[in-house]
Amino acid sequence: MAENSLPYANLTPTLILDAVDACGFQASGALLALNSYENRVYQVGLEDGTFLIAKIYRPGRWSDEAILEEHAFAHELADLEIPVIAPLQLPDDQTLVHHGGYRLALYPRRGGRPPELDDPDHLRWMGRMLGRIHACGSQRLFRHRPRLSIELLGTGPYAYLMEHDFVPAELAHNYRQAAETLLEAITAIWAEVGEWIEPLRLHGDCHPGNILWTEQGPHFVDLDDCMIGPAVQDLWMLLSGDRVDMTRQLAQLLEGYSQFYDFNALELRLIEALRGLRLIHYSGWLARRWHDPAFPMHFPWFNTPRYWEEQLNILREQVERLEQPPLEP
């Protein structure tokens, strides 16, 4: 799909409020932009004093079918009483609305705080919920959502960076060498274990910022990147610290997870490979979105010589991490 250089140029407060009204709600006029860069997300006040969340999808990123598949997965999980924030069903049971050239979905507002990743109870609880999500996700595969692959998260973003000259000329050779060495190592690991891993429907971007914690436990939000892939993709981003810390955290996550779904230990070999892909993908994501004025404004440190020097060192360090044996919880 062609990229729109000004994807939200025509998105005005009036358009958003009119869209909410058209969905059968009476907006009060209160509108608060929330932190979101890929899409645009707003808290909308209603006349009855309550609030809802309006998510305006980035034009051209997903097909309607892919978005509706995301919504259906969220509702499938919610129907099983798994704490996932699903979009509201509007008149005629629709969840995706077209208005003023944009596509949007409305969500209930849910508060919460980030989970405490050093709390064993939090980790076991999140593990139980992820086990339930994956038990559901294993029942069938997506038809319109992407499949996690080295091309999707690694070689594609890397090629975009190099073809569009984002890496400074004086660093390009060394960056190319580090990135290609990393991708070759990841490819070897995938060839080693990939055929033994059963893909399933995933949250896809299960980092702590997409989990809200309340007294009732975790709530999982933002299925915008849901995809097909290995179960460990939804686990590894909850690990942090040194090797000892991550081993302990992983053991606690899997203690809860395995109560509801069997974890294939071969997937542990993919943790550092997936981390390496995310490093390249993140730079590629920023580069692909650099034409959107919101990105230079909020990520001013990107595309500076210092950024690329740091990335070069990080990629070299990641190659070394891939040479270590997998975690053994």
Side-chain angles (χ1 to χ4, degrees):
M1 296 183 183
E3 295 187 34
N4 186 344
S5 61
L6 295 171
Y8 295 105
N10 299 320
L11 184 64
T12 64
T14 298
L15 188 151
I16 297 166
L17 296 173
D18 286 348
V20 172
D21 286 341
C23 292
F25 298 92
Q26 292 185 321
S28 67
L31 195 65
L32 176 66
L34 303 179
N35 287 335
S36 180
Y37 307 109
E38 185 64 13
N39 304 297
R40 295 294 185 266
V41 181
Y42 297 86
Q43 176 181 281
V44 182
L46 303 181
E47 289 288 357
D48 62 5
T50 62
F51 299 87
L52 53 75
I53 302 299
K55 174 181 177 180
I56 295 87
Y57 285 89
R58 176 174 289 272
R61 184 174 184 230
W62 298 123
S63 67
D64 283 5
E65 292 81 5
I67 295 173
L68 290 172
E69 205 164 42
E70 169 208 337
H71 293 179
F73 186 40
H75 278 282
E76 187 178 348
L77 296 171
D79 288 344
L80 294 172
E81 298 184 348
I82 297 171
V84 169
I85 308 302
L88 297 174
Q89 287 189 311
L90 304 170
D92 300 325
D93 290 331
Q94 64 180 329
T95 56
L96 181 64
V97 176
H98 291 253
H99 188 91
Y102 291 96
R103 296 173 297 172
L104 71 149
L106 302 179
Y107 291 79
R109 186 184 71 165
R110 294 286 186 271
R113 63 185 189 278
E116 298 175 14
L117 299 182
D118 58 351
D119 186 324
D121 290 335
H122 280 211
L123 290 166
R124 294 187 189 100
W125 203 334
M126 288 188 291
R128 290 194 295 272
M129 294 303 101
L130 286 169
R132 294 182 63 197
I133 289 172
H134 290 176
C136 176
S138 68
Q139 298 303 304
R140 57 185 169 277
L141 297 180
F142 291 128
R143 295 179 59 194
H144 303 285
R145 306 293 304 182
R147 181 181 290 264
L148 190 155
S149 68
I150 297 173
E151 167 62 26
L152 178 69
L153 299 182
T155 55
Y158 165 67
Y160 187 91
L161 290 170
M162 303 312 295
E163 290 169 6
H164 292 82
D165 297 322
F166 274 89
V167 183
E170 66 272 19
L171 296 173
H173 173 77
N174 288 339
Y175 182 87
R176 184 186 298 275
Q177 186 178 53
E180 292 183 357
T181 299
L182 178 59
L183 288 168
E184 288 171 6
I186 291 170
T187 300
I189 291 171
W190 224 274
E192 175 189 332
V193 301
E195 67 176 299
W196 307 104
I197 292 172
E198 200 69 35
L200 63 153
R201 291 178 295 170
L202 304 168
H203 181 290
D205 192 27
C206 194
H207 59 77
N210 280 335
I211 302 173
L212 299 176
W213 197 275
T214 69
E215 293 181 356
Q216 288 72 46
H219 286 73
F220 294 80
V221 302
D222 194 6
L223 289 172
D224 194 59
D225 287 299
C226 63
M227 63 176 66
I228 299 168
V232 74
Q233 169 68 6
D234 280 350
L235 297 171
W236 77 265
M237 280 182 268
L238 300 176
L239 309 178
S240 61
D242 61 22
R243 187 176 177 86
V244 173
D245 291 332
M246 290 193 293
T247 299
R248 172 182 51 78
Q249 294 159 357
L250 180 61
Q252 291 159 353
L253 277 171
L254 291 179
E255 183 180 340
Y257 184 94
S258 56
Q259 293 178 32
F260 294 93
Y261 196 68
D262 290 332
F263 181 76
N264 181 354
L266 285 175
E267 294 194 21
L268 297 176
R269 188 77 175 96
L270 296 179
I271 289 178
E272 294 305 330
L274 290 167
R275 192 191 311 277
L277 290 177
R278 190 170 179 85
L279 291 170
I280 296 173
H281 179 264
Y282 184 68
S283 293
W285 173 65
L286 290 173
R288 288 181 187 274
R289 298 292 181 252
W290 205 237
H291 56 265
D292 181 338
F295 278 72
M297 180 187 305
H298 291 99
F299 302 95
W301 38 262
F302 174 69
N303 209 29
T304 62
R306 181 175 179 180
Y307 173 82
W308 291 111
E309 288 172 1
E310 291 174 348
Q311 288 302 301
L312 174 58
N313 291 329
I314 289 171
L315 295 188
R316 287 170 170 168
E317 290 171 0
Q318 191 60 28
V319 171
E320 295 177 2
R321 295 179 77 159
L322 284 173
E323 295 172 352
Q324 298 177 6
L327 299 177
E328 296 183 7

